[in-house]
Amino acid sequence: MLKIENLHVRVDGKAILKGINLHVRAGEVHAIMGPNGSGKSTLSNVIAGRDGYEVSEGSIRFKGKDLLGMAPEERAWEGVFLAFQYPVEIPGVNNTYLLKAGVNARRRHLGLPELDAMDFMQRVKEKAKLVELDPSFLSRGVNEGFSGGEKKRNEIFQMAVLEPELALLDETDSGLDIDALRVVAGGVNRLRSPERAIVMVTHYQRLLDYIQPDIVHVLVDGRILKSGDKALALELEARGYDWVREEAGA
Amino acid sequence: MTVLKPEQAASREYQAGFVTDIESDTLPPGLNEDVIRHISAKKDEPEWLLEWRLEAFRHWQTMSEPRWAAVDYPPIDYQAISYYSAPKSKEDGPKSLDEVDPKLLETYEKLGIPLREQEMLAGVAVDAVFDSVSVATTFREKLAEAGVIFCPISEAVREYPELVRQYLGSVVPTGDNFFAALNSAVFTDGSFVYIPKGVRCPMELSTYFRINASNTGQFERTLIIADEGAYVSYLEGCTAPQRDENQLHAAVVELVALDDAQIKYSTVQNWYPGDENGVGGIYNFVTKRADCRGKRSKVSWTQVETGSAITWKYPSCILRGDDSVGEFYSVALTKMHQQADTGTKMIHLGRNTRSTIVSKGIAAGYGQQSYRGLVRIGKDAHGARNYTQCDSLLIGDRCGAHTFPYVEVKNPSAVVEHEATTSKIGEDQLFYCRARGVPEEDAVNLIVNGFCKDVFNELPMEFAVEANRLMEVSLEGAVG
Ligand SMILES: Nc1ncnc2c1ncn2[C@@H]1O[C@H](COP(=O)(O)OP(=O)(O)O)[C@@H](O)[C@H]1O
Ligand SMILES: [Mg+2]
């Protein structure tokens, strides 16, 4: 489903990603772990199409299509979703309205009829319940005055409404208390299906207690140095990252 | 992605840019006392009004055009303008919509304001001003039942001379400023509203102004009086056809609120802004002022300004009555080569007077935008308060936003607060919306409309929707 080959990315002339290879098949859940500054957010942002990153080499294909040639909204229409590490506030823009615009733009792209206000509200309310998001958040400005945890929960809510095929979660777990973590994990697990894939970026193996990954990757200094199963996450938790560096001779 | 190219910025086709082909009775260009006599005679005016006009004209001749605004335009040749243009119609003018030239009605329909529909939509009474003469006034009877007077000002001069004489020029004196003096000399039409004591006007009153004949300035004059305890909400919408020449629009609006009266005045201004090279467009030099004469009176100005080549406009409140309240909510958008110098004046004279100013300026393309506001607290205005919030949003990097707040406080008990922000439309916000599947242009609209929300919320419901849509079409192509 997602095929990243030899991806090199620079920011302001500085090499950040140095040859990433990552294959994610439909139905799989991948976890990417790595120390701060290793390039995890850079990778997520480049997949979602954020400006300001120079791809100097390599390719990203999604369902066989070249993602790098697409605008961010086109990627969303294809089914890519990014839960942001730092969701931005958009004052005055109604949370639900933004989602409706996104959902219907995608439906137009897919040749489906747009959802009317009633159907859409129905869907939104269901999903809000799912992630235990207080209905008052639906009509507030996007992330406007939300706490850190509320912002993260809102990201998962948006994911639930948009029903993406590939969900990238950039440190969605950080800053969450255990209850919120459980809710967020519940939202992600409900999205799991043979047609969908999930890539979680995380610092902590804690989240992986709730969402069982199929494959764990270790990203250090812009390279995936090691991949393994869930046991690798536990080992990282216990031993840190240095041994991975040494083992890889990096 | 998201490269904002000013050369492509915001030059959507102006939807109201068509000319109605009707015969009109137009004076040749030029301004002198004879022209004023002609206008006055055409309107069958009493002698006092002609004298009033002539006095204004003589005063005007001694004045010079203000040049302090941050706008730039070549000198205006006041002798090249025609000061009277009326659509030729049957002797006395129409008595009802059925008598109105169908082409005029078509014009309104093209503008999206079918009078018939508005009539049926219940609640909106329309006094449509076409060039210089009011051609259709609806709902007058229903209003008359409530004792509300809503009619063309020229008619009010004939029918209610005492009221007009008492209040005309009492808020904006004939010699107030260059453009107000010019307006006083040559004004041709506009609306007159009187809400009697204790009456809540049963519907929104609305006037659509439109400049049609080329080379005619439009000088309407609006006078609204809310007597003790009265309430009225008034909306004006403005559009003008597309032309290469610049056209002058110098209106005067006077509001008078007596004890416990409230006036809510909303404007959606969409005059032709000129083309993408800055050719043509309306010069919108307008004087709007409210006199909160009575105790506990309240006036609220809400404006959405997306049109005109140049806007020079400062709807103001004189807070004379104790405990009176003035509000100013403004959204101004300048794109292409548009220039706007707009803001408000809040003059606190009475005790415990309060004012709120919320100004949202958006500049795109080569647009230039200035907020100019004066808050003056007089020496007797004990306990006066003002809150000013002034935000600017820039789209692209060829446009500009400037803020000129003037504060004069002569009473130490006053509290004056001022907040101002200028931001570029956030790449982060745009990316966030796009990552949710919202196309870039729609994302800009969403963000801009969100930015304007505090002001749109002040508009009457149906017009808030209109304002939203207007912002959207105005912003089309603002990002490339
Ligand atoms: N916009 C940017 N400008 C400059 N440097 C950046 C930018 N974004 C990321 N970087 C740098 O790239 C590296 C990787 O950052 P990031 O992808 O955020 O790491 P992670 O998410 O793994 O903590 C860091 O050294 C960071 O400072
Ligand atoms: Mg990160």
Side-chain angles (χ1 to χ4, degrees), chain A residues 48-51 71-73 76-77 81-82 84 88-93 97-98 102 105 142-143 155 158 162, chain B residues 1-3 427-442 446-451 453 472:
Chain A
R50 190 179 205 123
D51 207 5
E73 56 268 35
W77 300 338
F81 176 87
L82 170 61
F84 287 80
V88 66
E89 299 194 13
I90 315 180
V93 176
Y97 191 80
L98 169 81
V142 177
N143 296 316
E155 293 295 290
Q158 298 194 351
L162 291 164
Chain B
M1 29 158 253
T2 325
V3 188
E427 289 289 329
D428 289 0
Q429 295 175 334
L430 268 181
F431 178 60
Y432 190 92
C433 296
R434 298 177 73 189
R436 297 298 174 251
V438 181
E440 184 174 19
E441 202 160 274
D442 297 351
L446 271 181
I447 295 167
V448 170
N449 274 315
F451 175 77
K453 196 173 176 188
E472 266 161 42

Side-chain angles (χ1 to χ4, degrees), chain B residues 11-38:
Chain B
S11 81
R12 60 170 280 271
E13 270 186 57
Y14 183 72
Q15 283 182 347
F18 50 84
V19 175
T20 303
D21 182 19
I22 46 167
E23 261 189 281
S24 53
D25 166 17
T26 301
L27 270 182
L31 181 56
N32 52 48
E33 295 201 358
D34 286 343
V35 166
I36 292 164
R37 285 194 169 81
H38 178 90

